[in-house]
Amino acid sequence: MYSHDVVIVGSGLAGLRAALELAGNLDVAIVSKLYPSRSHSGAAQGGVAAALGNVDGDSVEAHIYDTVKGADFLGDQDAIEILCNDAPRTIYEMEHWGCPFSRTEDNRINQRAFGGHSYLRACFSADRTGHALLHTLFEQTYRQGGKLRLYSEWHMLRLIIEDGICRGVVAMNIHTGKLEVIRGKAVLFGTGGYGQAFKITSNASANTGDGIVAAYRAGVPLQDMEFVQFHPTGLYLHGILLTEGARGEGGYLINAEGDRFMSRYAPSKMELGPRDIVSRSEQTEINEGRGAGPNKEYVLLDLRHLGAKKIMERLPQVYNLAKDFIGVDCTADPVPIQPTAHYSMGGIPADNDCHVYLDEQGNHVTGFYVAGECSCISVHGANRLGTNSLLEALVFGRRAGKKMLDDVPRLKLAPVDEQREISAAQRQIEELYKGPATEDLDTIREELKQTMTLKVGVYRDAGGMEPAQAKIKQLRERFAKVRVGDKGKSFNINLLEALALSNMLEFSELIVDGALAREESRGAHFRNDFPTRDDNNWMRHTLAFRTEDGGHELRYKPVTVTKYQPEERKY
Amino acid sequence: MANNKVLFRIQRFDPEKDEKPHHQDFEIELAPGATILKTLHQIRAEQDPTLALRYSCGSAICGSCAMKINGHAILACKTQVSECVRDGTVRVAPIGNLKILRDLVVDIEPFWESLGKVKPYLMPKGAAPDRERTQTPAQFGSIDPSTTCILCAACYSDCNALEVDPSFVGPASLAKAHRFIFDSRDAARQQRLREISQRTGVWDCTHCGECSTRCPTETKPLERIEEIRVQAMADGHHGNAGARHALGFRESVGKRGFLDENWLALRSVGFFNLPGLISLMPVGLRMMIRGKMPPLIPHTIDKVDEVKKIFARFEELRK
């Protein structure tokens, strides 16, 4: 058994930023199934939002309003105020730590346009902003020398909460297969999102919702799980992200007829409408037969008019991805794209200091904190604006660090029954070796991903989601018949995949049930059978609680409104 | 269709069973547009779930899936199988210069440690201002290539200098050093240049170019290494074997049109560096025994004036 003051699970922007706030003051461990530089924060491309006003007359207030409206009024406005107010300080801090930012002609941080933002607000490092930020924090961990204990390539299986007190985690050293309890006075999850449940996704293989499911199984509710963002420019069939910055730099979306179809959906913002609206517009074009390609299954991102020089300078990664993955030279031809599952608005509920809620009454789990995509604080509400996620991870990662710095002196290392916890994790693993092997892991995963993309995707309705609900139930039963084929101890990828699939099946059910219950359309959640927003009944957050029998119960809590009453959302 | 069948010859190693790595062949029906990573997953799903490898983002940014294909390091997620088939076969192995843990997974810790040796963080000039530090677009441009590095270790894998001398910090670490040496916001340029000019640093690179050839990003370590060397020389960091070797090389060729290797060896070590000179003796003796010792009396080539003209012209251009 290992013990630390603080155990951080996840080594992306949120986890690392929190760790740096604590390093030198508390004994901090960072547990991650990857190495820090490989976390999915690094895949963010286009920018990080802050009203610096370096290129126009932007203001924090405008950023707040854009975020509230972008969230389709489901965001908690007090949290959004914190996010936007703290944004300029956050960017300067990262710059002072050495983050390379693209520059203006007057040598300041350059800013570009992004969907749903009314000013040029996205600070960027070419089109690899997440990579630049993540590596900057990773560099800072070296500066801390030995003050941070890294448990890299450790897979977290269980969160230990007893009597409302968080006590640590059970994790497996992937190199040896050994299970260990890692105790902490405080535990922070920065474990990322759950986009792997979809067939077409921009998410890394690692984004299997391990953190949210561990919390849920430990008795923590999950909030707004039905809100999954579909990014408008996923590379056709691959789902790989092509940054919104491509449209921020002036790229067009066209259909098979070469028509800039966004003029019919968001006439004033055009391609720079928020992601939910642009993705739906694309899907409508495809559904109504105006898609391009032999099967009319995709639309096109046209960058040709930007010229090769601008593309190579501002969008080099977009150029390389299109070339390497589908052989398209985007300086010469438009790129086939389709909506791709991208961001998880839902997650573990917490207050503005990242302290996790135990219920809808505002009770907390002592010693448990969350930040970044796995959290639902909720700054993104029903639809996140591009560039606000990197910002959220940094702002709330730091806040979580500060909060833990305050709280830890008052917290004790709570007792853990090590043998019992290890045995429970052991059983979780052994179950996966007991099945009759009449079912196959990859088949079940594929069927789940297909179901989620086709039935619980950009457009939803009861007619599709009720069968999806039944399908997932059936997949969970079939999963019990899977048997992991690899018995090795070291780097047992097969076992890790099975653990991940078990997580995916568990939270996918919550996505579908939350979406079926929510009989309205709001942000990324669009119901063909309930196509309008219903503020009277549904301006509230969903909370899914796990019940004794392994099922779940949905409860609701109100949205925090400070300044902006809901209004019709037009772009 | 028979013509879509490819043989994947994969290096396997199970630490619980095997004493050393061996090969296993998998015949696979290729999906159109299949990448190496997708095909390895296909093999895992259809034929052998025990194949171990690292992967995550699937879009060439996380750097997890570097491995050797046909003997050279690549990123599996962005490499098309069709580009790798040789006589119907694709040979897959873990990256090099690191200990194999299982199948395609290596112990990457030495790579992270090597990175730590170059102080991979900004040492800023003065106190932080209220807003951002200014930097010109050109200054950003000078570190743009080295900041694209994704730390995949493909360069580390195929580095020939590391193969013979594991104490060399390696190409990725030097690219990381470059990123700070040329960052206008960093205060420690001279300290960095001084440290990196010592043994295990920038002069230990043998210029084979493998790192830049294998690099899946725009980092191209060899180019960055050359930029560091030029800067170190320009800033007067001459008191080290690497710099003396480079200067001696130029002196010898510039003077005689011929590389006087004996003299260069002494010049690099330092004429008054007694322990260093003694350390050369075993090599010298072995060369003598095998008849490989260059002529002891240096000569000058016939048309040395032509060589001198080239040097003069180069100096002119440099100014």
Side-chain angles (χ1 to χ4, degrees), chain B residues 219-231:
Chain B
T219 310
K220 309 300 176 215
L222 179 61
E223 283 84 329
R224 309 290 83 80
I225 288 168
E226 290 183 342
E227 285 165 6
I228 296 173
R229 286 178 172 183
V230 168
Q231 192 66 47

Side-chain angles (χ1 to χ4, degrees), chain A residues 35 38 54 92 95-96 98-99 103 107 109 128 131 139 142 153 205 324-325 486 489-490 497, chain B residues 16 44 54 56 62 77-78 102 112 120 122 129 131-133 135 140 144 147 149 176 179 185:
Chain A
Y35 284 94
R38 295 170 177 183
N54 280 1
Y92 297 142
E95 200 281 334
H96 295 159
C99 183
R103 298 286 167 155
N107 310 333
I109 293 172
R128 45 174 193 279
H131 169 268
E139 289 159 10
Y142 277 94
E153 300 197 316
S205 305
D324 292 340
F325 285 86
D486 186 354
K489 295 207 176 340
S490 174
E497 280 185 316
Chain B
E16 293 172 58
R44 295 184 62 253
R54 286 192 177 104
S56 187
C62 80
C77 69
K78 67 171 255 185
R102 180 177 176 182
W112 304 124
L122 189 78
R131 296 180 58 105
E132 71 266 53
R133 289 188 167 82
Q135 189 170 51
F140 168 77
D144 194 28
T147 57
C149 175
K176 182 60 96 175
R179 177 246 164 289
R185 301 167 296 177

Side-chain angles (χ1 to χ4, degrees), chain B residues 258-287:
Chain B
F258 154 84
L259 183 61
D260 181 353
E261 287 162 308
N262 294 321
W263 177 83
L264 182 63
L266 304 179
R267 171 84 167 79
S268 303
V269 170
F271 292 111
F272 303 105
N273 173 4
L274 203 57
L277 292 174
I278 291 169
S279 77
L280 288 176
M281 286 176 67
V283 184
L285 279 173
R286 281 204 303 277
M287 287 170 80

Side-chain angles (χ1 to χ4, degrees), chain A residues 109-332:
Chain A
I109 293 172
N110 206 346
Q111 300 190 276
R112 62 160 59 121
F114 241 76
H117 291 282
S118 48
Y119 292 90
L120 303 188
R121 189 175 289 146
C123 310
F124 60 96
S125 182
D127 58 354
R128 45 174 193 279
T129 313
H131 169 268
L133 294 169
L134 180 66
H135 282 241
T136 299
L137 292 187
F138 185 45
E139 289 159 10
Q140 290 297 313
T141 65
Y142 277 94
R143 181 163 219 180
Q144 295 300 330
K147 289 180 206 151
L148 297 168
R149 168 79 163 87
L150 291 178
Y151 293 80
S152 293
E153 300 197 316
W154 282 60
H155 183 90
M156 189 268 300
L157 281 105
R158 290 171 61 79
L159 173 67
I160 308 170
I161 297 175
E162 234 178 287
D163 306 324
I165 300 166
C166 183
R167 293 148 195 261
V169 298
V170 184
M172 182 174 73
N173 180 342
I174 296 172
H175 292 227
T176 62
K178 193 160 189 278
L179 293 168
E180 298 276 6
V181 170
I182 307 174
R183 276 204 306 173
K185 295 173 185 170
V187 173
L188 170 75
F189 274 11
T191 51
Y194 48 86
Q196 261 299 314
F198 294 80
K199 171 75 181 159
I200 302 295
T201 178
S202 68
N203 279 214
S205 305
N207 297 4
T208 49
D210 304 349
I212 56 162
V213 173
Y216 176 67
R217 287 178 181 157
V220 177
L222 297 180
Q223 183 172 319
D224 293 341
M225 289 294 288
E226 62 269 34
F227 292 99
V228 176
Q229 176 168 80
F230 299 89
H231 193 290
T233 50
L235 204 55
Y236 174 58
L237 288 183
H238 293 266
I240 291 171
L241 173 67
L242 300 179
T243 178
E244 189 166 318
R247 284 168 285 137
E249 295 291 349
Y252 298 149
L253 294 174
I254 56 176
N255 60 18
E257 292 135 35
D259 171 28
R260 280 179 73 189
F261 55 86
M262 283 312 297
S263 63
R264 283 180 274 116
Y265 303 93
S268 72
K269 294 266 184 183
M270 294 293 288
E271 282 86 356
L272 289 173
R275 289 175 179 172
D276 56 337
I277 292 173
V278 179
S279 283
R280 276 197 292 280
S281 309
E282 290 178 5
Q283 199 60 49
T284 304
E285 292 296 302
I286 294 166
N287 293 352
E288 292 179 359
R290 293 185 292 277
N295 302 319
K296 303 185 173 206
E297 281 178 337
Y298 55 79
V299 291
L300 296 158
L301 173 65
D302 191 354
L303 303 178
R304 292 173 294 183
H305 57 287
L306 301 182
K309 183 174 178 290
K310 189 167 190 178
I311 291 172
M312 299 316 289
E313 184 186 312
R314 296 288 183 86
L315 304 165
Q317 191 176 183
V318 168
Y319 174 83
N320 286 327
L321 290 170
K323 183 166 66 68
D324 292 340
F325 285 86
I326 55 171
V328 171
D329 173 359
C330 68
T331 63

Side-chain angles (χ1 to χ4, degrees), chain A residues 349-351 353-357 364-370 403 407:
Chain A
D351 66 19
D353 290 313
C354 308
H355 197 183
V356 172
Y357 284 127
H364 288 103
V365 183
T366 305
F368 185 33
Y369 307 82
V370 287
K403 174 73 172 152
D407 287 356

